[in-house]
Amino acid sequence: MKHFLLLLISIVSLSTFAQDAASYEKVTTSFQEQFNAQNVDAIFEMYSPEMQEGMTKEGVTRFVQGCFKQFGNLKSLTFVKTEGPVYSYSATFDNANLSMELLLSENGKISSLQFQEL
């Protein structure tokens, strides 16, 4: 019975992780496409309501345009690890390699997005 319970917990955990991973994959792919297209409106819509309040559309515009000017196109996002609910990626741009940390809300919207130098 103990082994059955452990197996059941493992299956449920893997299923939840797979769903989370699929959500993160969808968001990172869309973010990369919209970033390279400089589609600030689409990126803003990817943010959770709390992020939209904290970082206005003008703030997102400055962020996206500033990053694009400094780093160039976002060529790839490679998954590195998770720490709790935060997923970490290696972000390869034309002119730099950065670390990107991403947190999604329960409904798949961006709750936190941070880039840092490696």
Side-chain angles (χ1 to χ4, degrees):
M1 185 65 177
K2 289 180 185 178
H3 295 290
F4 176 73
L5 185 58
L6 182 59
L7 179 63
L8 182 62
I9 291 171
S10 296
I11 290 171
V12 170
S13 295
L14 287 175
S15 174
T16 302
F17 179 75
Q19 290 173 353
D20 285 349
S23 295
Y24 278 81
E25 177 69 26
K26 179 181 174 185
V27 169
T28 56
T29 299
S30 181
F31 179 82
Q32 181 179 357
E33 291 171 0
Q34 300 309 328
F35 179 87
N36 289 335
Q38 295 291 279
N39 190 343
V40 173
D41 291 333
I43 292 172
F44 186 75
E45 290 304 315
M46 295 174 70
Y47 285 5
S48 69
E50 297 80 15
M51 277 283 285
Q52 289 178 347
E53 285 179 24
M55 189 171 192
T56 64
K57 193 177 283 189
E58 292 77 24
V60 174
T61 300
R62 285 191 302 274
F63 167 73
V64 170
Q65 290 176 348
C67 285
F68 191 83
K69 183 178 180 180
Q70 184 175 2
F71 305 124
N73 281 306
L74 178 53
K75 296 177 3 180
S76 68
L77 287 168
T78 305
F79 174 76
V80 176
K81 65 181 178 178
T82 60
E83 287 187 29
V86 177
Y87 280 51
S88 296
Y89 298 85
S90 173
T92 304
F93 292 86
D94 288 332
N95 304 321
N97 292 320
L98 304 175
S99 164
M100 182 182 92
E101 292 184 349
L102 178 65
L103 175 63
L104 298 181
S105 66
E106 289 182 8
N107 61 354
K109 297 285 190 171
I110 297 173
S111 292
S112 178
L113 176 67
Q114 296 181 6
F115 287 97
Q116 299 175 5
E117 291 187 31
L118 292 174

